[in-house]
Amino acid sequence: MSKLCSDLRQAIVSAGLRDGMTVSFHHHLRNGDYVLNMVLQEAAQLGIRDLTVNASSLFDCHQPLIDHIRNGVVTGLITDYVSAGIGRAISGGILKKPVTFLTHGTRPSNILNGNHHIDIAFLAAPTSDCEGNCSGKYGPSACGSLGYAFADAQRADRVVIISDNLVEYPLPDPSITEDLVDFVVKVEAIGNPAGIVSGTTQMPKDPIALKIADYAAQAIHASGLVKDGFSFQTGAGGASLAVADHIKRIMLRENIHGSYALGGITGYMVDMLESGCFQAIQDVQCFDLEAVRSIRENPKHIEITAAQYASPTARSTAASHLDVVVLGATQIDTDFNINVHTDSNNLIMGGSGGHTDVAAEAKLTVIVAPLSRARMSIVVDRVFTVSTPGSDVDLLVTQYGIAVNPRRPELKAALESARLPVADIQALQRLAVSLNGPAKPFQPPKDHVVAQVFGRNNQVQDLIYGI
């Protein structure tokens, strides 16, 4: 039998979608994705209700999901990240069941171990053949790595590949192979390729961000970890990218050859690879089109699965070999707990993604953040939501100094020996208050849990309450 369906509706019907099922999606097209909205719209028109959506991340392009929740088409969400547009609605209480927040490592772990069953996986593929051999490296909607889709393809009862670029069988160099695929459907467009760019993958010009990056790079160098065989991950935010630029200069100046760069990959990481700083890139997600080009052309740029990236139940992972990771924060408290789920009004506006995973695994976890944003203190007495436990954080780098977790006295001594501006985190918190004024007392009503934040041990780490 041919796997090819005439249109998306036939694919949905052939896959057997019905009330109460769990459907899954990946987010490699990021804020340019069309597939989740197309599938849910067809499901709504077919009269299907009570679906659970298990998506590796949800972006503002997915805001039609809000109406599907209100209309009862979707009644459950499992995800690693929710953008502010959808997050505000969830914080307002539109979903009867709490959102299940996972991490980029625990999501594939739960799928592969059978803890989260998927009935049908609807997977966007920038290129596919008629049997479902597919890849994200080619085609007009190329997004690079398909790392977050592998677990879904391996364990879902039915797998539907949705592509806007069908090629002759067999597709060379597939990511997901035909033996895992039940149905294939061609649509006009799976997304806007420009939307895969996160919007934050630009080197900063802000002098505060550049100062923070300089301090962070000096601290990493002083730790002694920047040496041959060094492995490194950084986020896609401006200050994090500036840290990578400083680390690149150090590596080139001292002729240091690292082993690999990891994570969501930007053009800046590609430049480090091509400059000889690293032997390889291990890539679970491309953040910009330069990364897409690299993974298509360079065999040293390796596509990995989300489980291989950071699953806590895998036999080993790329994250477990990681030396240094540089991450951001919405809030950090005096116990070094990090919040990246909620904003200063406790509204959902993000999620852990891989933050919690790599912080737990890396030898050195560095948080880069200004002391305040928009006159709101970043360093607080207690974060609203614990996304990453303070026990997994080593350094906070601000423009006013570097706070070292008391669990790392040897690291503090190394930074002081390098004459870096080491500061007590309580002192930074008091300085933030003196600059911004005390925050108004805020205690959200605790009569409605809108989300559960699960840690890497698969236990509830924190609760988020509705506003």
Side-chain angles (χ1 to χ4, degrees):
M1 292 179 61
S2 172
K3 295 179 182 179
L4 275 175
C5 298
S6 59
D7 55 28
L8 183 57
R9 176 165 291 197
Q10 183 191 358
I12 291 172
V13 172
S14 298
L17 184 64
R18 59 182 183 272
D19 291 359
M21 281 188 165
T22 295
V23 293
S24 76
F25 305 87
H26 70 76
H27 73 281
H28 288 286
L29 287 170
R30 299 179 60 79
N31 208 31
D33 175 57
Y34 295 163
V35 168
L36 183 146
N37 292 339
M38 288 193 296
V39 170
L40 293 182
Q41 181 62 30
E42 288 289 347
Q45 291 177 358
L46 288 165
I48 296 169
R49 300 175 62 81
D50 194 27
L51 296 175
T52 295
V53 170
N54 186 330
S56 50
S57 288
L58 296 167
F59 290 89
D60 280 348
C61 66
H62 299 130
Q63 288 195 56
L65 175 65
I66 296 171
D67 286 335
H68 294 307
I69 292 172
R70 289 184 173 131
N71 295 333
V73 176
V74 174
T75 57
L77 290 179
I78 303 170
T79 188
D80 309 342
Y81 175 95
V82 175
S83 68
I86 300 171
R88 282 192 294 269
I90 293 171
S91 291
I94 65 167
L95 198 61
K96 293 182 180 179
K97 294 183 290 187
V99 174
T100 295
F101 269 119
L102 303 174
T103 73
H104 282 339
T106 58
R107 180 179 183 270
S109 173
N110 278 319
I111 292 172
L112 295 172
N113 292 337
N115 294 330
H116 285 159
H117 175 256
I118 294 172
D119 293 292
I120 308 174
F122 293 96
L123 304 181
T127 291
S128 176
D129 64 25
C130 61
E131 300 296 343
N133 296 297
C134 61
S135 173
K137 300 175 186 176
Y138 315 102
S141 302
C143 62
S145 174
L146 291 181
Y148 293 114
F150 280 81
D152 307 58
Q154 289 173 286
R155 288 292 185 268
D157 290 346
R158 295 286 184 270
V159 175
V160 179
I161 297 298
I162 302 170
S163 181
D164 54 14
N165 187 46
L166 285 184
V167 297
E168 290 186 4
Y169 176 90
L171 170 70
D173 186 30
S175 297
I176 293 168
T177 53
E178 62 186 297
D179 55 307
L180 301 174
V181 176
D182 297 285
F183 303 100
V184 179
V185 60
K186 184 180 185 299
V187 296
E188 183 176 343
I190 61 170
N192 176 2
I196 74 169
V197 180
S198 72
T200 60
T201 55
Q202 300 294 323
M203 194 67 71
K205 298 179 181 178
D206 173 19
I208 292 176
L210 294 174
K211 185 176 183 179
I212 292 169
D214 181 37
Y215 282 163
Q218 290 186 61
I220 294 167
H221 192 213
S223 74
L225 292 170
V226 186
K227 56 188 178 183
D228 286 346
F230 170 64
S231 57
F232 182 57
Q233 176 174 336
T234 186
S240 298
L241 295 177
V243 175
D245 185 59
H246 282 286
I247 294 296
K248 174 189 172 184
R249 295 181 198 178
I250 292 169
M251 295 179 76
L252 293 176
R253 183 180 71 235
E254 300 185 8
N255 197 30
I256 293 170
H257 300 284
S259 54
Y260 67 95
L262 179 63
I265 300 301
T266 66
Y268 295 101
M269 289 291 103
V270 170
D271 183 59
M272 293 182 80
L273 174 68
E274 295 177 348
S275 298
C277 294
F278 295 106
Q279 296 177 18
I281 287 174
Q282 300 197 70
D283 188 348
V284 71
Q285 177 182 198
C286 293
F287 273 105
D288 59 31
L289 299 181
E290 180 61 16
V292 174
R293 176 203 64 78
S294 175
I295 200 171
R296 181 170 56 241
E297 298 175 359
N298 190 342
K300 294 182 179 181
H301 191 151
I302 305 162
E303 181 180 35
I304 64 172
T305 72
Q308 184 183 349
Y309 170 50
S311 168
T313 55
R315 292 178 175 87
S316 68
T317 64
S320 63
H321 297 280
L322 192 59
D323 286 316
V324 176
V325 63
V326 179
L327 301 166
T330 304
Q331 292 177 316
I332 181 169
D333 65 27
T334 52
D335 290 323
F336 287 83
N337 297 303
I338 304 295
N339 174 20
V340 289
H341 278 87
T342 52
D343 66 12
S344 57
N345 293 310
N346 205 43
L347 295 170
I348 294 171
M349 46 65 68
S352 173
H355 196 293
T356 304
D357 299 305
V358 291
E361 296 283 15
K363 293 177 183 175
L364 178 65
T365 298
V366 181
I367 304 298
V368 291
L371 200 62
S372 59
R373 294 190 186 98
R375 298 199 59 81
M376 297 295 296
S377 298
I378 300 301
V379 185
V380 296
D381 287 327
R382 183 69 179 172
V383 294
F384 287 149
T385 306
V386 177
S387 307
T388 296
S391 57
D392 293 330
V393 175
D394 300 301
L395 295 177
L396 166 65
V397 183
T398 76
Q399 72 271 40
Y400 290 100
I402 304 169
V404 184
N405 193 316
R407 299 173 63 255
R408 299 292 306 273
E410 82 292 349
L411 180 60
K412 181 178 180 181
L415 269 57
E416 289 175 337
S417 179
R419 298 186 177 182
L420 289 170
V422 175
D424 182 81
I425 195 166
Q426 283 86 4
L428 289 176
Q429 194 273 331
R430 290 192 294 271
L431 176 59
V433 172
S434 70
L435 292 172
N436 300 300
K440 292 181 180 179
F442 179 80
Q443 184 63 44
K446 294 189 175 182
D447 56 350
H448 183 203
V449 175
V450 294
Q452 296 177 316
V453 178
F454 283 78
R456 276 173 61 81
N457 59 2
N458 222 25
Q459 301 297 312
V460 175
Q461 181 171 278
D462 209 343
L463 301 173
I464 301 175
Y465 294 91
I467 299 300

